Amino acid sequence: MQSMDKNTVIGFILLAVLLFAYMYISTKNSHELEIQKKRYDDSVAAVIAKKQTLQAKADSGKTVTMPVDTGAGALLFAAQEQQQTLENDVLKITFSNKGGRPVAVELKKFRSVDSSLVQVENGKTDDLSYAINTGIASKASAQSSELFFTGGNVQKAADGSQLIQYKATLPGGQTITHAYTLKASGYLVDANISLTGTDRLLTQNAFNLQWKQRAVQHEKYAKYERQQSQIVYLEDDGYDYQSVLGKTEKKFEKPVHWVSIKQQFFNTT
């Protein structure tokens, strides 16, 4: 029994020696593999860095510096938008130097279905502009609503009316002036557009006015309001209209005095 215990102990000792020897050899081999892997990774990184440096040098020789427009042309499209508000007893109109135009028109004595003031013009969805030739190589043609105008100061007259005026000067010397007069009372606004150098400003001297407007719900019953919404106009031979739910195009054969978008109770003309 004692002899068997002695043999068992010797066996355990031999196993322990073999285990330690195996662990030592494995650790040493693993360490050598890590060193070799690090050397390989460093070599690959060095090759990639050298390739990138050579590519950067090659690309730098091909770089083309684009000219930057710092003159009047740049200001026409990259100024800061500023707004100005005119009011009388029934109207509140917000004007913007971008486009030199009204971007919001509210009726102070009427409220919409959501209790807000009735808005008959909204710059987010509506647009009133015309095409021009800018004379700028990077943007030869544009809509007037894209231009940034100067001015925007309000002048008050003795009769209580207010005048706001915007002006844009193009690189070729052509000028565009927008002037609006709001009377002391009433819903009518005088709007005047003055152009100089129209032979270069307008293609074939044609003034192509573009008017976009989105009719929104003001009344409680939207379906009936849509049915009552019309495009009305006074043509040479008299007053006429067409439903906005009907035809999508109207070609005028005779002179038109005015055009209006009429909803159930409100209109913009």
Side-chain angles (χ1 to χ4, degrees), residues 62-136:
K62 301 176 183 179
T63 301
V64 178
T65 302
M66 298 299 292
V68 179
D69 185 0
T70 57
L75 297 178
L76 283 173
F77 295 99
Q80 183 176 0
E81 184 173 10
Q82 298 178 343
Q83 295 185 344
Q84 182 67 268
T85 301
L86 299 186
E87 293 187 57
N88 64 10
D89 58 336
V90 295
L91 279 181
K92 178 181 179 181
I93 308 177
T94 302
F95 293 87
S96 172
N97 64 326
K98 186 176 183 182
R101 64 193 178 104
V103 292
V105 179
E106 294 178 313
L107 309 183
K108 297 170 67 173
K109 294 186 178 297
F110 297 94
R111 295 198 173 271
S112 191
V113 65
D114 61 356
S115 298
S116 64
L117 292 178
V118 169
Q119 194 172 71
V120 293
E121 180 76 16
N122 186 332
K124 295 180 180 179
T125 58
D126 305 336
D127 183 34
L128 183 64
S129 63
Y130 51 91
I132 61 167
N133 300 317
T134 65
I136 303 172

Side-chain angles (χ1 to χ4, degrees), residues 142-261:
Q143 289 291 319
S144 62
S145 57
E146 299 179 76
L147 304 181
F148 282 91
F149 288 65
T150 59
N153 298 322
V154 179
Q155 302 175 33
K156 296 184 178 180
D159 62 357
S161 63
Q162 303 170 69
L163 169 69
I164 187 168
Q165 184 169 283
Y166 293 96
K167 184 177 182 179
T169 302
L170 280 75
Q174 308 95 309
T175 63
I176 304 172
T177 303
H178 295 175
Y180 306 90
T181 301
L182 177 65
K183 302 295 178 61
S185 182
Y187 292 97
L188 297 182
V189 179
D190 291 335
N192 292 280
I193 298 176
S194 176
L195 310 175
T196 65
T198 54
D199 55 331
R200 289 175 294 165
L201 199 60
L202 303 177
T203 300
Q204 297 180 345
N205 263 350
F207 185 77
N208 296 308
L209 187 67
Q210 177 178 271
W211 182 19
K212 296 179 181 179
Q213 186 169 46
R214 179 175 179 265
V216 298
Q217 180 183 358
H218 295 305
E219 309 304 325
K220 182 177 181 181
Y221 302 104
K223 182 177 179 180
Y224 182 73
E225 187 176 16
R226 283 195 292 268
Q227 293 173 347
Q228 297 299 309
S229 296
Q230 302 165 342
I231 297 176
V232 300
Y233 46 88
L234 182 63
E235 205 172 6
D236 190 42
D237 57 354
Y239 172 91
D240 206 346
Y241 69 93
Q242 67 181 50
S243 171
V244 296
L245 301 179
K247 296 180 180 180
T248 58
E249 182 177 336
K250 168 66 178 177
K251 184 175 181 180
F252 295 104
E253 302 292 347
K254 297 180 180 180
V256 178
H257 298 284
W258 51 260
V259 177
S260 176
I261 297 176

